[in-house]
Amino acid sequence: MRVLRPLFLLLCLMAPQAFADGLFQIEVIVFRQGGEALSTSQPAPDDWAVGANPIADNERGTALDGEAAKLNPGNGYEVLLHKAWAQNLSAVQDKASLSTGNEQFGHFPVEGVVTLSEQQRLVDLQADFWINRFDNDGLLTGSERVRQKTRLKLGELTYLDNGSLGVLVKVTQP
């Protein structure tokens, strides 16, 4: 029995970290706020998703459909992307790439990377999205960018503002 005691103590010390990591549901809505797209000359980089894991295999049904429905043209908004996925979060940053629309030469109409890490029931988030414009040949001619960093609470809807673009994010633990 004395031999097992040190092993038991070691497991108890490691357990809080092991249980802190877990599966979370992340939902993101990227939208345009009233008016025309801002013209920018810098297109999205070709390596926009470097180091990020695509969410395709982990995509889930969306829960913020009511909020997305309110972001309609009659209210002066346009939803550009609405995705939800499951992801394990820990203290180590993890990147997820997401996009919508038809791919053209490695780019999508809306593409971005969400970087997340959990810190004691809070989530550090960095959102970096590109809203792209293409010419008739499918070549990327320009992009709008929203890039924001914040710390959010689990289960709380968070709004990120970037001039003509906005992002709603919610992270929950099932």
Side-chain angles (χ1 to χ4, degrees):
M1 192 61 141
R2 287 183 182 229
V3 174
L4 294 177
R5 189 175 297 167
L7 179 61
F8 177 74
L9 288 173
L10 181 62
L11 288 174
C12 287
L13 290 173
M14 291 173 40
Q17 181 61 38
F19 290 118
D21 298 355
L23 191 64
F24 292 78
Q25 172 134 339
I26 297 95
E27 188 162 355
V28 172
I29 301 172
V30 178
F31 61 96
R32 181 177 317 289
Q33 303 179 66
E36 295 290 317
L38 296 177
S39 63
T40 57
S41 59
Q42 182 183 14
D46 289 337
D47 63 350
W48 65 270
V50 70
N53 298 313
I55 66 164
D57 294 339
N58 298 315
E59 216 164 328
R60 301 289 189 261
T62 56
L64 297 175
D65 297 330
E67 288 79 355
K70 293 175 189 173
L71 298 170
N72 62 54
N75 291 330
Y77 301 99
E78 176 188 4
V79 173
L80 304 171
L81 176 141
H82 185 187
K83 300 269 184 172
W85 69 98
Q87 182 176 337
N88 283 311
L89 296 184
S90 69
V92 178
Q93 288 187 338
D94 192 20
K95 294 181 178 183
S97 65
L98 48 156
S99 59
T100 190
N102 295 324
E103 181 180 1
Q104 299 183 51
F105 300 107
H107 289 281
F108 296 86
V110 180
E111 57 195 20
V113 174
V114 175
T115 305
L116 298 158
S117 63
E118 185 197 13
Q119 308 293 332
Q120 300 176 349
R121 308 296 297 166
L122 296 173
V123 176
D124 287 336
L125 169 122
Q126 181 172 330
D128 193 5
F129 286 96
W130 299 88
I131 291 63
N132 297 317
R133 287 182 304 284
F134 301 93
D135 65 14
N136 292 335
D137 297 322
L139 298 174
L140 183 62
T141 59
S143 304
E144 288 179 89
R145 185 179 190 185
V146 55
R147 186 176 188 182
Q148 296 284 328
K149 197 178 211 182
T150 191
R151 179 169 275 179
L152 51 95
K153 292 180 182 178
L154 288 177
E156 195 172 278
L157 185 61
T158 302
Y159 169 62
L160 307 173
D161 185 15
N162 194 60
S164 67
L165 299 172
V167 180
L168 291 174
V169 182
K170 189 171 186 179
V171 178
T172 56
Q173 194 167 26

